[in-house]
Amino acid sequence: MANTSPSGRRTALLASAVAALGALTACGTDGAATGATTSAVTDGTAGAARQSSATGTPPSAAVSSPAGSGERPPSRAVPSDTAGSASASARSDGRCHTSELRASVGRVDPGAGQRNFPVVLTNVSSRTCTLYGYPGAAFTDSSGSQVGPDPRRAPGSPQKVTLAPGRSAWAGLSFASPEVSGARAVTPAVLLVTPPDERDSLRVEWKGGKVPVGGTASTVSVTVLDAGTGP
């Protein structure tokens, strides 16, 4: 083993001390950086914004936790089809209900052996509402029993009709004149009119004469609703 002089030993000890001090300094620096990062991630809005950015959610959508809580708020469920749900809800809430309408039957418009009547629905409420599609219709006698089958729907393209207070929509009710067709006919007492998507009906006194209820050419038809009170 080589002999080392006292000055050589002191030099070696000094180099070892410097190396140990450098190692301790480096460890202290790493610990401080890690602590700062953890604090920033869990600290309210800033941390939430960074996390949402990492998952692809815009920072503006991030929800910060209550100050000092140190906890992430529970995630909020978002409907899968928000736009569709909102549209359906608006359509449902905005439609005209039976209690907001008055029904009437306009004057007959005869032609080519046909009898055509406008069935009119008028908005008697104080709000604007909408109608879409076909009204329901049925003839009854004075005791309330239905006579003849339900009118069939004539081909058509429904359009939403917006009714301000006092405005009306109409649908055409048509059938071959029994005197011409030879169909079995009766004279109803009442026409029941049901607005689209409603269950309750409106009663209208029928003054249109005989209606075919059986036999050849006994079909009664109704058209989609359109704005106004008739053609």
Side-chain angles (χ1 to χ4, degrees), residues 99-126:
S99 60
E100 299 173 307
L101 300 169
R102 181 183 69 243
S104 60
V105 177
R107 292 187 301 175
V108 63
D109 178 23
Q114 288 286 115
R115 308 195 75 190
N116 309 296
F117 298 86
V119 177
V120 182
L121 292 173
T122 301
N123 181 6
V124 294
S125 74
S126 59

Side-chain angles (χ1 to χ4, degrees), residues 90-97 100 127 129-131 196-198:
R91 175 176 167 180
S92 176
D93 293 342
R95 79 169 188 267
C96 300
H97 300 288
E100 299 173 307
R127 73 177 184 110
C129 58
T130 61
L131 293 172
D197 300 317
E198 291 290 298

Side-chain angles (χ1 to χ4, degrees), residues 105-188:
V105 177
R107 292 187 301 175
V108 63
D109 178 23
Q114 288 286 115
R115 308 195 75 190
N116 309 296
F117 298 86
V119 177
V120 182
L121 292 173
T122 301
N123 181 6
V124 294
S125 74
S126 59
R127 73 177 184 110
T128 296
C129 58
T130 61
L131 293 172
Y132 179 89
Y134 295 82
F139 292 104
T140 70
D141 59 21
S142 57
S143 67
S145 298
Q146 182 170 342
V147 294
D150 291 342
R152 66 172 178 83
R153 293 178 173 183
S157 299
Q159 300 290 332
K160 183 171 70 173
V161 181
T162 301
L163 299 183
R167 306 300 289 182
S168 301
W170 72 283
L173 186 73
S174 303
F175 52 86
S177 174
E179 290 81 3
V180 175
S181 68
R184 183 168 61 87
V186 298
T187 301

Side-chain angles (χ1 to χ4, degrees), residues 169-213:
W170 72 283
L173 186 73
S174 303
F175 52 86
S177 174
E179 290 81 3
V180 175
S181 68
R184 183 168 61 87
V186 298
T187 301
V190 171
L191 174 66
L192 297 178
V193 181
T194 307
D197 300 317
E198 291 290 298
R199 293 182 179 275
D200 296 330
S201 300
L202 298 164
R203 292 168 53 89
V204 183
E205 184 180 1
W206 179 253
K207 298 181 178 179
K210 293 183 177 182
V211 174
V213 295

